[in-house]
Amino acid sequence: MNGAVRGVGLAVIAGVFVGGWLWVRGEPETNGTGAAHAATAGVKVKMWQSSQQCKSCHQKVWDEWYGSHHQIAYTNPEVRRLSEDFRIKDCQACHLPRQVALTGFGKRSLPRQTRPNEGVDCITCHLAADGTIMGKRDMPKAPCAPKANADFASVNMCASCHNQHQTTDQWRASKYAKEGKTCHDCHMGKFGHGFNAAHDTAMLRAAGELTVEFAAGELKMTLFNKGAGHNFPTEERHRALDIEYGFPDAKGEVATWQRAYRFRQPYRDEPGENTQLPAMAKKSVSAKVPEGAERAKVRLWYRLNPFAKNGDKASTLLEEKEISLR
Amino acid sequence: MSFHRCGTGTRETGGAVSIGRRSTRRRSVLLGICAVAFGSVPACTRNPLHAKAAPQPASAPKPPAYTPRLAEFRKLMEAEPKPLEGPRLGELRDLMETAFTSQDQRLRKMAKSSLLEAAECDAVLEMGLTHERAEVRSNAAFELGNRKCRRAVPLLLRRMKDETSAAEPRFYLADALCRLDNLAALPELLEAMEGALAQRAAGTAITLLDRCGRSPGSAPTYAALRAGLRLLYREWCVLGRVPVVEPVPLDAVARARLGRCFVDMVGKELRPVDEARYVLSRMGAPAVSLLERVLDAEELYLRQHGLEILRRMGLQSSSVASKVRPLLGDPQLRGEAAATLGEIGAIDAVPDLLALLEDPDIEVQCAAAGAFGPLAAHGAVPQLEALLSRQETPMDLRVRAAFSLAMLRPHGPGFPFLRARLQQGDYHAPTVRELLDRVIESW
């Protein structure tokens, strides 16, 4: 639709009622001045009500976002299963949210019913309480006239949804907070609006560093959280990270892998304590070496859920190390 | 069985079978009302694009003067009984286990009579509702009902949410709730009539129907009992109380327990919110006066969840319509208020809802459009048809308009429109399916 502003006259009912709608939809021009809008509607302010509106002018951002976990938040089969197809109403507040600014930064967002395929979308993050677009800086000349908003540009924005299981608090307690390295720096820097993280192997590999030593007759395995700005793994109730080891036979095959350690925050009534690895922290574990073993292999597995086995789609092998025990 | 729950407005979680037909068509006197309404909407209304800041509809009702309410609910909680502690706790627990599980009948009888005479009996039985053994849970529920322990109603409901797999405790919870004049668990009672517990469930049904002046006669068939229960359930879904029986006001402990539900609603944890909603939306009329208090609460999440619970309660809470209406001017929740007015049968709100179709916020427009069907607001059919027929109308709004229209005009264009979305796969299928289900149930 050209010009983006369209008046929809309503049927005349009983001769007395005339309603009026005005939509701004479709593809506004990209002439960078907003003149078309002003000419059509005689005003600068228009209604932003769907991410579709941003698409044609911000195609690159759209493409990054489309297919991201933000975009699929309401259609993600994993989420639909666990939320009983969103019969558990509270899941909707973050997985199909109204704009964050409506309730306020750092506060739980409200659920919406429109745009089910758009999950956490442009509107959710960018729409200000007064109906304008928020950005990092003022750009009055741009057709969408973004206005600078400090909260928008800060961690407070993410905190509305990303502190249910303390990711934001973990970050606040880390050195990154002190250095001013925010969520955006790691999650948007390279990937823009893809917000890559737990479903991106490269990102996961950047988080941890596994070292293996053989000393005093024991196999010592250490994981260092060198790259995550919060615990590794963080937030999500299902994640687990395992260090496994085994002793290969002459053919180099490991008959049985044993788990040396699991990094995980127990969920609800699950027993155990939180063993996630905080930012910049190290954890070492040791294992006895059986007699006659000549070599050891150690693996670091990331699991999207704690039941995933090696080889499942929900398991990712992040690292494998082999050392000699001589 | 394929019934559905009353207060069908919002889908449910937790063990629910559903029952009965969607309510009563509130056939409208609406045409008249609407004609007045149309007059009151300024012709060729304001162009929302002219708005400078977060635009509000021209005729938005004034929001209520908000007052802090959370402290009130905290105060109510003070009447919650202290949990049992110390050696006495262990003693009573043993006594209960013996009374409900011992193989030795004589011992069992003795233990039971000491238990029932103990001063802390109600508290112990309440504890028994979450006991690991199903027979303890069943017996505890039964005894609470038998003793007319009204303060336990919120706990029995709460337990029902989690009692999803064991048929026997489920049935006894339903039985106890019936005795305590709460009919929210009639779907569970009906469920019990299908299985191994059929005879006992029939016994409960007969007693209940007798008490409500619907005596099923001397040798009723199961079919007759089921039909009687379904009707009774419909009545409950509209009235929120047991017909014929004089309602008993909530005692302080029950109020305290509901107070806790409200406090939980503002918390960060999701599960307590879900539980609070489950319990409150099944309390029937006794909870309505408490829910009314949150409608002008300063605390956003109290208002939000309050509206949602009222929506689920449907016609049971129609008495609060006049308190919900001002929320149509609430900057954050006017859409939710619109949806709630639809579900609680607030026909007087139709003019306001029509005005909201022009709200600058698409979310609010959709909520309003979706409210006319549940409201049986036949006067809105022309507007809905207009919305639906225009290609320019955003798909979200067309879908909601089609939903209401399909309820109001089963043979009109709404139903085929929704079906076509499924066939063409151009709108989120689970959402369409849910709307279609709801439409069909309403016919």
Side-chain angles (χ1 to χ4, degrees), chain A residues 258-312:
Chain A
Q258 300 184 54
R259 187 192 294 162
Y261 199 75
R262 167 161 277 197
F263 300 89
R264 168 164 171 78
Q265 177 165 16
Y267 184 62
R268 259 193 214 139
D269 23 25
E270 188 180 321
E273 55 194 59
N274 186 355
T275 55
Q276 292 179 340
L277 190 63
M280 301 309 285
K282 270 187 186 162
K283 169 79 195 173
S284 297
V285 279
S286 296
K288 291 245 169 329
V289 171
E291 233 162 279
E294 298 194 345
R295 301 188 70 75
K297 277 189 179 175
V298 180
R299 286 172 163 186
L300 182 64
W301 282 98
Y302 183 80
R303 324 251 187 225
L304 287 170
N305 73 65
F307 315 108
K309 302 208 165 51
N310 297 355
D312 288 359

Side-chain angles (χ1 to χ4, degrees), chain B residues 22-347:
Chain B
R22 154 98 206 141
S23 88
T24 47
R25 317 300 306 278
R26 288 168 288 268
R27 287 295 159 199
S28 57
V29 241
L30 283 175
L31 272 167
I33 297 169
C34 291
V36 179
F38 303 157
S40 74
V41 177
C44 223
T45 39
R46 203 181 35 91
N47 175 348
L49 292 191
H50 288 272
K52 284 262 154 25
Q56 291 277 313
S59 56
K62 238 174 79 121
Y66 295 125
T67 343
R69 293 280 180 212
L70 195 58
E72 261 175 46
F73 293 115
R74 289 232 163 82
K75 184 104 188 87
L76 279 185
M77 277 168 59
E78 286 168 11
E80 273 187 314
K82 296 254 168 327
L84 294 173
E85 292 174 332
R88 184 77 182 136
L89 169 67
E91 250 169 59
L92 287 165
R93 221 186 128 87
D94 290 348
L95 193 62
M96 175 167 66
E97 283 170 2
T98 314
F100 295 155
T101 63
S102 172
Q103 296 303 317
D104 179 341
Q105 287 305 321
R106 216 173 58 91
L107 194 62
R108 206 173 153 138
K109 222 167 152 184
M110 276 164 43
K112 189 166 151 189
S113 66
S114 325
L115 174 69
L116 296 180
E117 277 158 24
E120 304 92 332
C121 178
D122 288 346
V124 187
L125 292 172
E126 286 170 356
M127 229 169 57
L129 292 176
T130 51
H131 196 278
E132 62 202 14
R133 293 183 62 169
E135 33 186 335
V136 175
R137 300 201 298 277
S138 296
N139 278 286
F142 174 81
E143 293 299 341
L144 285 166
N146 207 25
R147 292 164 66 83
K148 289 267 176 280
C149 180
R150 289 177 186 278
R151 66 174 220 180
V153 170
L155 298 187
L156 292 162
L157 287 171
R158 167 71 196 78
R159 185 58 213 158
M160 187 63 103
K161 181 171 192 296
D162 284 350
E163 197 68 79
T164 47
S165 48
E168 198 167 279
R170 237 171 120 71
F171 159 65
Y172 280 108
L173 287 169
D175 172 83
L177 285 164
C178 288
R179 289 167 195 253
L180 296 171
D181 296 342
N182 181 304
L183 303 188
L186 285 191
E188 284 79 7
L189 186 61
L190 274 154
E191 179 194 291
M193 282 176 68
E194 306 279 316
L197 297 158
Q199 285 190 18
R200 272 180 278 176
T204 305
I206 293 171
T207 316
L208 178 66
L209 291 169
D210 270 340
R211 205 151 64 87
C212 302
R214 286 186 175 274
S215 177
S218 53
T221 59
Y222 278 102
L225 289 178
R226 272 188 223 113
L229 288 182
R230 274 177 211 145
L231 278 173
L232 188 57
Y233 185 62
R234 285 252 45 90
E235 214 168 330
W236 159 266
C237 286
V238 174
L239 302 178
R241 56 188 189 80
V242 182
V244 185
V245 177
E246 198 51 44
V248 182
L250 292 174
D251 60 70
V253 174
R255 284 174 75 84
R257 287 175 169 159
L258 298 183
R260 176 177 290 279
C261 290
F262 286 102
V263 173
D264 283 346
M265 286 195 287
V266 298
K268 189 177 152 193
E269 290 303 317
L270 301 179
R271 183 176 268 205
V273 178
D274 200 34
E275 288 166 359
R277 186 176 24 229
Y278 185 96
V279 170
L280 282 166
S281 62
R282 284 170 172 72
M283 282 298 296
V288 173
S289 63
L290 280 174
L291 282 160
E292 197 178 326
R293 316 248 343 132
V294 306
L295 292 174
D296 64 357
E298 192 178 282
E299 296 85 358
L300 171 70
Y301 301 99
L302 276 183
R303 301 204 298 283
Q304 183 214 343
H305 292 300
L307 282 172
E308 199 192 319
I309 291 166
L310 291 171
R311 194 148 77 222
R312 287 189 183 201
M313 292 175 75
L315 296 180
Q316 289 183 352
S317 49
S318 47
S319 63
V320 299
S322 63
K323 292 275 170 51
V324 175
R325 250 170 103 178
L327 286 168
L328 292 177
D330 185 303
Q332 289 150 317
L333 296 174
R334 56 192 196 282
E336 322 240 338
T340 303
L341 287 166
E343 299 294 343
I344 70 178
I347 13 180

